[in-house]
């Protein structure tokens, strides 16, 4: 998937609805305090909400506190996507797109609350006919009941197959309209539609120039953190299989334990329900770290800012060379990449960004004060 546009409303300086379209390489040029960094940080919240939290101060002071960050995506997966079952499907066939190749995801944050979790909505051309409008929220058993009731010859396995057969049975009476579809993941819901879609979204990596001078500076650590996230994305299916196996075995033992307790103390056994939880992607990523150590043993935070930023230069040069070998789409957002760099290095960065943007699976977003 590629990021096509962002729309903001009530987020910091953007009270009125504001939209921006992205290409493979997009540069935002503007004066200080005009909202350049706000766009990059809105994308950071949208993509990386588990590690970067929105807070009450992010709502425009003249708004009602309801912040909207909406992203449109194109170049949707051509080889299908796994949503709520092991069967591959396509977003258009599930009525989750606005047209042939446009996925619109809207996240709404109620900044009046102390704990802010996004409401996740997909805006799509979707069936609104009674009985056909809520199939994405139904579990396998519910879909099977409808298939049996309607006498459809599609089999009783594979949620996408059953949904499509049910929709087809309505003929031209689906009453398709542009509507909001709430796909917010509920607690303990490990089969939600949103989880399947989220896995296909691009990785978003934000590099900002204004950082404290610490050994754990993001301008030093972020490139390496992104390297870990890329590696984790490549082995995602293997990790999911491991987690599924752990869930299966542990839940089996929990079930046997509950049954044993029921024999000993029936009343207590009735009160017990096993509940399994898996680590989030953010927690899994946090298990690993890479540290860049200078040969002389001098901490990087004691070196000049230009040296620290040189790691960024090296990372983007390497990323440009490596872009064609990796599958997961990545968006690199860089604030003022020319900061603390010699003109020769600035030229190297420019060439690396251009080369990165030449790759179909990479997008680059830059902000700067300097049109040059």
């Amino acid at each position: 998937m590629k990021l096509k546009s962002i729309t903001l409303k009530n987020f910091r300086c953007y009270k009125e609805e504001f939209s921006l379209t992205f290409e493979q390489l997009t540069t935002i040029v503007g004066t200080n305090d005009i909202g350049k960094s706000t766009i990059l940080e809105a994308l950071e919240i949208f993509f990386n909400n588990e590690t970067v939290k929105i807070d009450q101060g992010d709502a425009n002071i003249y708004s009602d506190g309801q912040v909207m960050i909406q992203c449109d995506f194109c170049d949707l997966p051509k080889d299908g996507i796994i949503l709520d079952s092991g069967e591959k499907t396509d977003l258009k066939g599930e009525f989750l797109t606005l047209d042939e190749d446009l996925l619109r995801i809207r996240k709404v944050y109620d900044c009046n609350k102390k704990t802010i979790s996004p409401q996740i909505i997909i805006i799509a051309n979707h069936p609104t006919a009674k009985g056909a409008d809520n199939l994405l929220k139904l579990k396998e058993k519910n879909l099977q009941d409808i298939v049996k009731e309607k006498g459809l010859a599609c089999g009783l396995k594979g949620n996408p197959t059953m949904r499509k057969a049910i929709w087809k049975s309505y003929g031209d009476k689906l009453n398709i309209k542009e509507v909001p579809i709430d796909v917010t993941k509920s607690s303990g819901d490990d089969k939600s539609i949103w989880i399947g879609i989220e896995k296909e979204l691009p990785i978003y990596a934000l590099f900002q120039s204004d950082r404290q001078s610490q050994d754990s500076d993001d301008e030093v650590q972020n490139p390496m953190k992104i390297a870990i996230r890329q590696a984790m994305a490549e082995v995602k299916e293997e990790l999911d299989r491991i987690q599924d196996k752990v869930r299966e075995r542990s839940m089996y033992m929990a079930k046997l334990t509950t049954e044993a307790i029921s024999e000993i103390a029936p009343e207590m056994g009735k009160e017990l329900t096993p509940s399994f939880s898996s680590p989030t992607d953010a927690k899994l990523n946090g298990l690993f770290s890479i540290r860049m150590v200078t040969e002389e043993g001098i901490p990087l935070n004691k070196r000049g800012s230009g040296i620290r930023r040189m790691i960024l230069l090296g990372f983007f040069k390497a990323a440009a060379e490596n872009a064609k070998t990796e599958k997961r789409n990545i968006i690199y957002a860089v604030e003022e990449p020319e900061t603390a760099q010699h003109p020769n290095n600035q030229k190297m960065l420019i060439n690396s960004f251009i080369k990165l943007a030449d790759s179909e699976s990479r997008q680059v977003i830059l902000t700067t004060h300097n049109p040059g």
Side-chain angles (χ1 to χ4, degrees):
M1 286 190 201
K2 287 184 185 174
L3 177 64
K4 185 172 184 179
S5 67
I6 185 172
T7 301
L8 303 176
K9 186 175 182 181
N10 293 336
F11 185 65
R12 298 184 190 171
C13 61
Y14 296 104
K15 181 182 186 300
E16 304 303 325
E17 200 167 289
F18 167 83
S19 296
L20 180 68
T21 300
F22 299 101
E23 303 294 338
Q24 289 294 109
L25 174 58
T26 305
T27 304
I28 305 168
V29 184
T31 60
N32 289 333
D33 203 32
I34 203 167
K36 302 186 303 298
S37 296
T38 296
I39 295 168
L40 301 190
E41 288 167 9
L43 287 168
E44 176 85 324
I45 290 168
F46 181 93
F47 284 102
N48 302 321
N49 191 59
E50 286 190 349
T51 53
V52 181
K53 301 292 185 182
I54 194 170
D55 60 43
Q56 292 173 321
D58 286 317
N60 182 279
I61 59 172
Y62 301 109
S63 73
D64 59 1
Q66 302 297 313
V67 170
M68 182 191 79
I69 304 176
Q70 176 178 288
C71 288
D72 287 359
F73 297 90
C74 59
D75 286 13
L76 306 182
K78 292 182 174 60
D79 57 349
I81 180 174
I82 294 176
L83 292 179
D84 57 342
S85 72
E87 181 184 350
K88 280 196 172 184
T89 184
D90 62 294
L91 294 172
K92 186 175 185 296
E94 298 282 1
F95 296 102
L96 285 170
T97 61
L98 274 175
D99 57 30
E100 187 73 28
D101 193 38
L102 182 66
L103 172 66
R104 175 166 293 168
I105 301 171
R106 177 182 296 169
K107 293 190 178 184
V108 179
Y109 306 82
D110 186 352
C111 290
N112 297 305
K113 297 179 179 178
K114 287 186 178 179
T115 303
I116 307 168
S117 298
Q119 180 187 16
I120 305 171
I121 299 166
I122 293 177
I123 309 297
N125 293 325
H126 199 75
T128 61
K130 187 177 180 181
D133 56 345
N134 67 337
L135 298 188
L136 289 169
K137 295 183 179 180
L138 299 183
K139 302 297 182 185
E140 184 178 51
K141 177 66 169 62
N142 305 120
L143 293 170
Q144 288 172 344
D145 289 343
I146 297 173
V147 168
K148 289 177 184 176
E149 183 185 330
K150 287 179 170 284
L152 304 177
C154 65
L156 296 173
K157 287 196 175 180
N159 292 2
T161 297
M162 289 190 284
R163 279 194 294 265
K164 289 175 183 179
I166 295 167
W167 280 323
K168 187 176 180 181
S169 71
Y170 279 77
D172 59 356
K173 297 179 181 179
L174 283 173
N175 197 21
I176 295 171
K177 295 181 181 178
E178 183 178 314
V179 293
I181 305 166
D182 193 326
V183 294
T184 309
K185 179 181 177 292
S186 60
S187 178
D189 184 4
D190 60 354
K191 294 292 184 182
S192 74
I193 294 292
W194 171 242
I195 290 178
I197 293 173
E198 190 177 30
K199 288 177 182 177
E200 298 293 330
L201 296 182
I203 293 173
Y204 180 78
L206 173 60
F207 303 90
Q208 293 178 293
S209 60
D210 186 15
R211 292 289 185 188
Q212 296 178 352
S213 184
Q214 299 176 3
D215 196 32
S216 59
D217 271 3
D218 268 5
E219 63 186 13
V220 172
Q221 290 294 331
N222 242 4
M224 300 305 106
K225 287 179 182 177
I226 297 305
I228 289 171
R229 283 173 59 193
Q230 287 177 234
M232 294 290 282
E234 289 175 17
V235 297
K236 178 67 177 169
E237 289 185 9
E238 296 167 55
L239 289 171
D240 286 345
R241 281 197 293 271
I242 292 170
Q243 291 197 64
D244 287 343
K245 193 67 178 177
V246 171
R247 180 190 293 108
E248 179 188 333
R249 292 299 301 164
S250 59
M251 288 297 285
Y252 173 71
M253 285 306 300
K255 179 175 177 290
L256 292 181
T257 302
T258 304
E259 289 172 354
I261 292 171
S262 295
E263 291 177 8
I264 301 167
E267 290 304 315
M268 183 183 291
K270 290 178 183 178
E271 297 174 5
L272 296 175
T273 304
S275 177
F276 181 89
S277 62
S278 304
T280 62
D281 288 346
K283 286 182 179 178
L284 283 173
N285 291 338
L287 294 175
F288 306 93
S289 65
I290 302 175
R291 190 178 181 192
M292 305 295 279
V293 181
T294 60
E295 195 171 310
E296 299 87 353
I298 302 172
L300 284 170
N301 66 309
K302 303 299 182 186
R303 305 292 296 268
S305 61
I307 295 296
R308 299 199 307 275
R309 296 279 288 181
M310 191 71 74
I311 292 177
L312 212 55
L313 171 62
F315 174 80
F316 282 118
K317 191 172 186 305
E321 298 293 335
N322 199 42
K324 292 182 179 178
T325 67
E326 298 183 19
K327 298 177 182 177
R328 182 78 176 266
N329 280 32
I330 301 178
I331 303 167
Y332 295 108
V334 190
E335 185 182 79
E336 300 174 30
E338 72 276 12
T339 299
Q341 290 296 333
H342 186 277
N344 289 342
N345 290 344
Q346 291 177 2
K347 288 179 181 177
M348 255 192 281
L349 268 172
I350 290 169
N351 289 333
S352 294
F353 289 140
I354 291 171
K355 190 170 183 180
L356 266 174
D358 279 343
S359 169
E360 284 298 310
S361 62
R362 300 292 181 267
Q363 284 177 278
V364 179
I365 306 170
L366 310 174
T367 66
T368 182
H369 300 118
N370 184 358

